Amino acid sequence: MSYPRLQNFIDGAPMANASGDVFDVINPATDEVIYQVEVADEHIQQAAIDSAKAGFAQWSAMQPIERARILHKAVALLRERNDELAKIEVLDTGKPWQEAECVDVVTGADAIEYFASLAPTVVGQQQEVAGDFYYTRKEALGVCAGIGAWNYPLQIACWKSAPALAAGNAMIFKPSEETPKGANMLAEIFIEAGVPAGVFNVVHGAAEVGQWLTTHSEIEKVSFTGEVGTGKKVMQSAASNLKDVTMELGGKSPLLVFDDADISEAVSAAMLGNFYTQGEVCTNCTRVFVQRGVYEQFMSELLERTQKNIIAGDPLDPEVNLGALISKKHQQLVLEYIDKGKQEGATVAIGGHALTPTSAPQGYFVAPTVFTDCDDNMTICREEIFGPVMSVLVFDDEQEVIERANNTPMGLAAGVMSQDLRRAHRVIHQLEAGICWINAYGASPAEMPVGGYKLSGIGRENGLEAINQYLQTKSVYVGMNQLESPF
Ligand code: NDP
């Protein structure tokens, strides 16, 4: 059987590999191969480096405002092609159309718009010192690598390329082999907008291709999104030539529901933070701590809404709000975690099994699952599951819940639901997490820096500070006085 082919995108166009090696991409909602992708072999890898170096020379020499103008064109193209791109994301990831249509492309375009707008605002400083003076220049790093996860493939490619390109760098991007197409589409759009060839190349393949990027001596920085364990390996490889790293890793984030919270809103936050994108979101609040006085009310509304409002099925159906998990293997892993939860004594309040919706019977679905009678030490309360599995835990007082919420080596996100203004801020300030919400969950606008504490990451994406992570400071000291020397 012959399938459509996706090639690596190098130097402004798709490029054929020399080895002929390919891998399959499967639609998680149908269990069918939808296209094949050529692996980035040595021929492609060398071409990617050569073209990125040439692209960098041209791009970094342009005025920031010219780069901004071009990137703004890319933003317009992304928005024009929203539906076509959203459909690609649905077919590659299995997520619902109703999410992809208004989130994935939109938030990717927003990040490029934000950093394009920042590009001309980058300035150095100047200071007089004893009659001499120095000034600083903010210079691009060179060729950077981006390595992405499969849950938000196009958005991740945009979030990484936006600050990198705005600052004048070139980027070689490797999407997850499970969701490779969005990055190629972005590369095409950059070219159409006028970004020079080689400034954004896309290479395809599994861990070996990622490893090649992280060890290559001519790559100056790696921005990685993925699991904590992979992140550690990437940092080790990156140490070979002391590459700069940004790490966006996993989490086991807490949501704290206090007894003065608006309970309907708290249920909305818990459901958004566990069932959106069928639970495959890094910031998910998989540990929901509910204060004892409102536990019954919270559970009753949570179970009712989970029962009534979740529609699993063909992700392209606009009514569907729960899609398929990324792969059969991942579905199995999530089901194994659910089994462990049962074995370790937690109670399945709802869900706890695979789903076979009539409109997508072959898809890798897992029912939205809520565990009660949980203990902080259970596997389901300690490890990232990355599926629609929520653990509800009961607490009595503020200090107790802060300690329990922080009792994890990860620190990506946290949320507090409370109508008490002082309490909400007081508690959030004590939570060890980089991305926090009060009476909200999951919103992540381009203006807001995001990244993890502890094992959840290094550096930040989005927000003002992210552009500085793609710039280095050159100090230039200018002697205005006669140079004195003892020699
Ligand atoms: P992985 O860590 O398995 O993979 C991430 C990327 O790294 C993929 O492109 C993968 O390639 C590549 N890769 C694998 N091994 C290596 C290696 N040794 N060297 C270099 N690259 C390598 O993560 P998943 O794709 O499974 O994504 C899910 C994880 O991502 C979750 O833990 C989630 O929390 C995290 N995540 C974090 C986010 C954040 O912003 N903090 C956002 C989104 C997800 P391939 O897939 O082709 O094998």
Side-chain angles (χ1 to χ4, degrees), residues 195-351:
V195 174
V199 172
F200 185 74
N201 290 328
V202 181
V203 291
H204 294 295
E208 315 79 72
V209 178
Q211 270 163 3
W212 163 73
L213 281 171
T214 56
T215 48
H216 199 286
S217 62
E218 289 178 285
I219 291 179
E220 306 299 335
K221 175 184 172 90
V222 182
S223 176
F224 173 81
T225 297
E227 289 173 13
V228 174
T230 322
K232 288 180 183 172
K233 288 186 202 157
V234 166
M235 265 191 87
Q236 266 173 354
S237 305
S240 60
N241 71 324
L242 292 181
K243 285 185 201 350
D244 189 30
V245 291
T246 296
M247 293 275 148
E248 295 292 336
L249 309 176
K252 193 71 196 171
S253 303
L255 176 71
L256 279 48
V257 179
F258 285 94
D259 54 13
D260 57 24
D262 176 321
I263 296 303
S264 289
E265 259 189 10
V267 170
S268 296
M271 290 180 75
L272 274 169
N274 278 278
F275 304 149
Y276 203 72
T277 319
Q278 53 289 331
E280 296 167 327
V281 179
C282 52
T283 50
N284 270 0
C285 50
T286 47
R287 294 180 298 144
V288 178
F289 292 92
V290 183
Q291 201 156 16
R292 198 172 300 276
V294 289
Y295 176 75
E296 295 299 330
Q297 191 191 347
F298 176 88
M299 282 310 298
S300 141
E301 183 167 341
L302 172 66
L303 296 183
E304 187 192 336
R305 285 170 60 182
T306 304
Q307 183 71 47
K308 265 212 228 142
N309 299 347
I310 302 271
I311 307 170
D314 176 0
L316 285 170
D317 176 346
E319 294 299 313
V320 162
N321 59 19
L322 187 91
L325 295 183
I326 188 68
S327 63
K328 204 176 201 78
K329 189 171 151 215
H330 189 56
Q331 182 197 32
Q332 280 314 314
L333 186 74
V334 172
L335 292 171
E336 280 165 26
Y337 270 114
I338 291 174
D339 281 346
K340 257 187 215 153
K342 293 177 192 166
Q343 283 160 20
E344 291 177 17
T347 304
V348 176
I350 193 164

